[in-house]
Amino acid sequence: MGNLEATLRAVRGRDAKSFVPYVTGGYPGVDGEFLRMLAAAGADVIEVGIPHSDPIMDGGVIQEASRVALERGTRLGDVLALVADTAIDIPVAVMTYANIVHHRGYEAFCDDLARSGVDGAIVPDLPVDEAERFAALGAERGIDVVLLAAPGTTEQRYEAIAAASHGFVYCVATYGVTGVRDQLSATARGVVTALRPHTDLPLLVGVGIATPEQAGAASTFADGVIVGSALMGPLVAGDPAAALQLADAFRRKIV
């Protein structure tokens, strides 16, 4: 069990729910001080995105954040240096795509994460069928490789995802890409319910969580909530203070 999983289990063990904000590494304003402020706002884990030119899971807000970060010259090493230099006392998971991992090489990528103090890796386009070696290499280095479970998945595949995941299972709340939605999708509860019989790992809901109220609703049946586009929206609009205020509002509702 890595530090990421241990932390989330500890939160659950005290009958609380985890709050995991997402930010795009390399975007202006996403610096060490901002990560520390997210931790101070009550984040249990921080997810930092490695910008990618084809962010296939992400909607408009995070696509724009990735574009800007890449145009500023942000690369994998820059994001890992941010994590290493910040050295906050809560776990950090990076979110990236499979071709970045493949290009670096699974073993070298895991070594890079470990040296930088990263605790987890979320790779949305890495299917469970191809995750075994990456997850094993990560586990050897204390890196929890997190798999995603989406609505409409078969029972057999939910079972496989649950068995292969480390850290937590990322329960995708709705069909489609990331981005705010008018309401919490009914499919969110269905994914969590389908996974519960297959694993004792923490089950966290993400994608489409637009408001603190929606996050609060999700926390009634999940072990925690991941919030990305809703927090990146103010940052992309040039208002990091508003993003931090919103993070505080999310934390207060996720109970």
Side-chain angles (χ1 to χ4, degrees):
M1 184 189 305
N3 185 41
L4 173 61
E5 182 176 330
T7 296
L8 295 174
R9 285 185 178 276
V11 172
R12 187 174 64 184
R14 60 177 186 265
D15 293 325
K17 300 300 176 79
S18 295
F19 170 43
V20 181
Y22 163 95
V23 290
T24 301
Y27 191 81
V30 178
D31 53 18
E33 180 61 20
F34 190 80
L35 297 187
R36 286 187 286 271
M37 292 297 288
L38 283 176
D44 297 291
V45 173
I46 296 175
E47 180 185 349
V48 180
I50 298 168
H52 181 45
S53 58
D54 186 21
I56 56 175
M57 184 184 174
D58 294 307
V61 170
I62 296 177
Q63 285 180 21
E64 174 63 10
S66 289
R67 182 191 67 79
V68 171
L70 289 171
E71 287 188 352
R72 298 177 77 219
T74 304
R75 297 295 182 266
L76 169 63
D78 301 306
V79 177
L80 298 185
L82 167 65
V83 177
D85 293 344
T86 303
I88 53 177
D89 60 359
I90 62 172
V92 173
V94 295
M95 182 274 196
T96 188
Y97 289 94
N99 63 346
I100 291 179
V101 182
H102 181 75
H103 183 265
R104 182 72 180 105
Y106 284 167
E107 190 163 1
F109 184 82
C110 290
D111 285 339
D112 291 343
L113 299 192
R115 279 192 296 267
S116 303
V118 172
D119 301 286
I122 303 166
V123 185
D125 56 342
L126 179 69
V128 63
D129 320 77
E130 300 174 17
E132 183 177 3
R133 181 166 178 266
F134 182 35
L137 289 167
E140 290 173 3
R141 294 157 176 80
I143 308 297
D144 286 324
V145 173
V146 177
L147 299 183
L148 284 73
T153 299
T154 65
E155 190 73 16
Q156 182 180 21
R157 198 161 182 83
Y158 277 134
E159 184 175 5
I161 292 167
S165 288
H166 297 260
F168 67 93
V169 182
Y170 192 128
C171 301
V172 179
T174 187
Y175 294 99
V177 296
T178 65
V180 298
R181 305 291 198 276
D182 292 337
Q183 59 186 7
L184 178 66
S185 174
T187 54
R189 184 187 291 270
V191 174
V192 173
T193 300
L195 284 164
R196 285 284 185 210
H198 301 300
T199 183
D200 186 48
L201 283 173
L203 304 178
L204 275 60
V205 169
V207 180
I209 308 293
T211 66
E213 290 72 24
Q214 290 177 14
S219 71
T220 64
F221 56 83
D223 297 311
V225 181
I226 303 162
V227 182
S229 296
L231 294 177
M232 284 304 300
L235 276 171
V236 170
D239 194 348
L244 290 169
Q245 290 172 356
L246 188 55
D248 180 72
F250 272 104
R251 171 71 278 178
R252 292 174 185 274
K253 289 289 187 179
I254 298 170
V255 296

